[in-house]
């Protein structure tokens, strides 16, 4: 058995990293970072602890982030407000990431391929969604009537769900791209109509 303690310089490494993060960022930045990874509702006090700031400061910035649509609020059991990252902000972030890495033409091609794959899933399994497939499979197993069907691999259901989610993200990215093009062309036509 080893009774040695770790060297002092390693004992406070987390605290040192936290202090450095606090020194290099604003409370708003830290709160936004913490809530960016918060998918279950939590109190402002919890966010404040993780962001190394006061609960009053956390509440102020969380309310600002809620006004911006980045944070979603829900009432807590004790009457307080709980905060979590809004699903919409995740979609916008994912769509922006897609636009940073994929051209519009490639995006259109990928959307078409994903739609075709979804049509193949629907045709192959005779249902409209992976959830319906899972329910049918469960009902078949419970009833044990009729000839046994081949069990659907859970990975197939996961792949179908992932494909559907990716198509939603791709469509959101395409919508954002189209909106940006519309705004740019509208701005250009407005600039062209103003006499110099």
């Amino acid at each position: 058995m080893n009774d040695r303690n770790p060297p002092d310089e390693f004992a406070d490494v987390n605290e040192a990293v936290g202090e450095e993060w606090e020194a290099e960022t604003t409370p708003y930045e830290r709160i936004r970072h913490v809530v960016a990874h918060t998918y279950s509702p939590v109190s402002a006090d919890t966010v404040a602890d993780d962001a190394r700031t006061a609960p009053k400061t956390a509440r102020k910035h969380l309310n600002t982030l809620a006004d911006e649509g980045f944070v979603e609020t829900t009432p807590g059991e004790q009457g307080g407000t709980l905060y979590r990252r809004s699903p919409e902000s995740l979609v916008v972030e994912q769509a922006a990431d897609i636009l940073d890495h994929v051209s519009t033409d490639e995006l259109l091609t990928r959307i078409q391929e994903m739609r075709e794959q979804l049509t193949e899933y629907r045709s192959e399994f005779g249902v409209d969604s992976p959830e319906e497939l899972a329910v049918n499979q469960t009902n078949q197993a419970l009833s044990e009537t009729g000839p046994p069907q081949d069990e659907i691999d859970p990975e197939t259901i996961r792949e179908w769900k992932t494909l559907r989610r990716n198509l939603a993200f791709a469509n959101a990215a395409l919508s954002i791209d189209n909106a940006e093009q519309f705004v740019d062309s509208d701005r250009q036509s407005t600039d062209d109509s103003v006499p110099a």
Side-chain angles (χ1 to χ4, degrees):
M1 183 124 188
N2 189 348
D3 290 332
R4 293 187 309 174
N5 291 323
D8 288 340
E9 66 261 18
F10 295 115
D12 295 323
V13 82
N14 286 340
E15 184 60 29
V17 169
E19 288 173 2
E20 183 178 331
W21 182 48
E22 193 174 350
E24 293 177 355
T25 57
T26 66
Y28 175 84
E29 291 169 329
R30 293 192 305 277
I31 289 163
R32 193 174 197 288
H33 175 82
V34 167
V35 97
H37 302 91
T38 304
Y39 306 107
S40 298
V42 297
S43 69
D45 290 354
T46 300
V47 173
D49 286 345
D50 291 346
R52 303 174 73 93
T53 192
K56 183 177 178 180
T57 302
R59 238 177 250 98
K60 177 182 93 171
H61 292 308
L62 285 166
N63 289 330
T64 298
L65 290 166
D67 290 343
E68 294 171 359
F70 189 76
V71 169
E72 183 177 88
T73 62
T74 56
E77 291 179 17
Q78 308 299 325
T81 302
L82 300 178
Y83 304 87
R84 73 181 185 125
R85 176 128 187 223
S86 76
E88 295 82 7
S89 71
L90 289 168
V91 171
V92 170
E93 182 179 286
Q94 185 65 36
D97 187 55
I98 290 169
L99 290 174
D100 285 346
H101 296 94
V102 179
S103 71
T104 303
D105 289 340
E106 186 178 352
L107 183 58
L108 288 167
T109 300
R110 288 184 184 181
I111 288 172
Q112 184 59 37
E113 290 169 353
M114 286 187 277
R115 286 180 178 161
E116 290 169 3
Q117 180 63 47
L118 285 174
T119 300
E120 287 176 27
Y121 278 134
R122 289 183 190 112
S123 176
E124 179 181 348
F125 297 110
V127 293
D128 290 330
S129 71
E131 293 81 10
E132 191 177 346
L133 178 62
V135 167
N136 286 353
Q137 185 173 353
T138 301
N139 289 341
Q140 172 70 25
L142 291 174
S143 71
E144 296 185 32
T145 60
Q149 293 181 336
D150 292 334
E151 189 170 318
I152 306 299
D153 178 19
E155 185 62 28
T156 300
I157 293 172
R158 274 192 297 277
E159 287 173 4
W160 192 348
K161 287 179 178 180
T162 300
L163 179 65
R164 196 175 54 183
R165 184 200 67 212
N166 289 345
L167 178 58
F169 286 146
N171 282 325
L174 187 60
S175 294
I176 290 171
D177 186 53
N178 287 339
E180 287 175 352
Q181 290 177 15
F182 175 78
V183 168
D184 288 345
S185 68
D186 190 48
R187 185 179 299 128
Q188 181 66 33
S189 67
T190 303
D191 291 347
D192 291 345
S193 65
V194 176

